[in-house]
Amino acid sequence: METFKKNWEIQKNWQLLFPVLGILALVYSSFKLADALLKEYHLLVKIGVTAVLFFALLKFILFLFKKLEDRWVVEYKWELIRIFIVFAITGTSSLFVGRPIIKLLGITKENLNITVYWILYIIIGLIFYQILLVTTGWLFGQFKFFWEFEKKMLRRFGLKRFLD
């Protein structure tokens, strides 16, 4: 355990919450993916595939951590896990927020061309994603990181004038 804490630069026990949450989310995601791919198979097969997916995804995520460690400026390595959790929560919740807004505005696949519907759906989802990203980042104690990330993203969208 001490080696794990040293590798992730964990000084206090409460900071172990983020690696634990990350591992639980990865197990859950691996199982949901295995379940979606193998709907008709027995539970034991799904659990075996879940284990394989878990280790493959874990290897991939650790590879991403290595690549992003120098690019993203954080004080401690464990904060990278917190940032990934924020991205995961924000991506999922922007869909849950976007759907009711689309329905509230009366935008449906039946009353619009399917291409126009999906373009509007993506635009509305992106708007809420931006708001939720900074808000969720603030809730997880990473406001500064996500505010800088947001400003960079808005500049790329050509919306620099809204930052001044």
Side-chain angles (χ1 to χ4, degrees):
M1 182 58 101
E2 289 305 316
T3 307
F4 181 83
K5 284 182 171 183
K6 184 179 177 187
N7 286 342
W8 286 97
E9 300 173 346
I10 294 174
Q11 289 80 33
K12 298 182 174 125
N13 285 336
W14 69 266
Q15 295 166 342
L16 286 168
L17 172 71
F18 297 106
V20 169
L21 283 175
I23 289 170
L24 290 175
L26 191 58
V27 168
Y28 177 75
S29 299
S30 300
F31 180 76
K32 291 299 277 185
L33 191 56
D35 189 43
L37 294 172
L38 308 168
K39 283 199 179 295
E40 304 297 321
Y41 288 84
H42 193 268
L43 181 62
L44 289 177
V45 174
K46 290 180 187 178
I47 291 172
V49 172
T50 297
V52 171
L53 285 172
F54 172 80
F55 287 109
L57 289 172
L58 182 62
K59 279 276 216 203
F60 177 67
I61 289 170
L62 291 174
F63 168 77
L64 287 177
F65 281 151
K66 283 272 189 225
K67 292 289 183 187
L68 294 172
E69 190 175 1
D70 298 329
R71 194 168 182 196
W72 290 349
V73 180
V74 292
E75 242 179 284
Y76 305 107
K77 285 183 185 178
W78 64 267
E79 290 179 304
L80 290 171
I81 299 169
R82 189 161 59 172
I83 290 168
F84 269 74
I85 290 170
V86 169
F87 278 122
I89 290 171
T90 304
T92 306
S93 57
S94 68
L95 290 175
F96 288 117
V97 171
R99 282 186 188 140
I101 299 297
I102 290 270
K103 287 180 183 174
L104 185 69
L105 294 173
I107 300 170
T108 65
K109 293 176 188 175
E110 289 78 31
N111 67 3
L112 277 177
N113 178 313
I114 193 74
T115 307
V116 174
Y117 170 82
W118 283 110
I119 289 171
L120 288 173
Y121 187 80
I122 290 169
I123 289 171
I124 290 171
L126 275 173
I127 292 169
F128 283 101
Y129 180 80
Q130 308 308 316
I131 296 165
L132 289 169
L133 187 63
V134 175
T135 306
T136 309
W138 173 75
L139 289 172
F140 276 78
Q142 290 289 55
F143 177 79
K144 182 180 178 189
F145 174 85
F146 283 102
W147 182 241
E148 293 303 317
F149 188 87
E150 186 66 33
K151 289 193 291 190
K152 188 189 301 185
M153 194 181 305
L154 289 173
R155 280 189 205 102
R156 287 183 181 159
F157 287 151
L159 301 172
K160 185 181 177 184
R161 64 178 171 256
F162 292 111
L163 300 173
D164 300 329

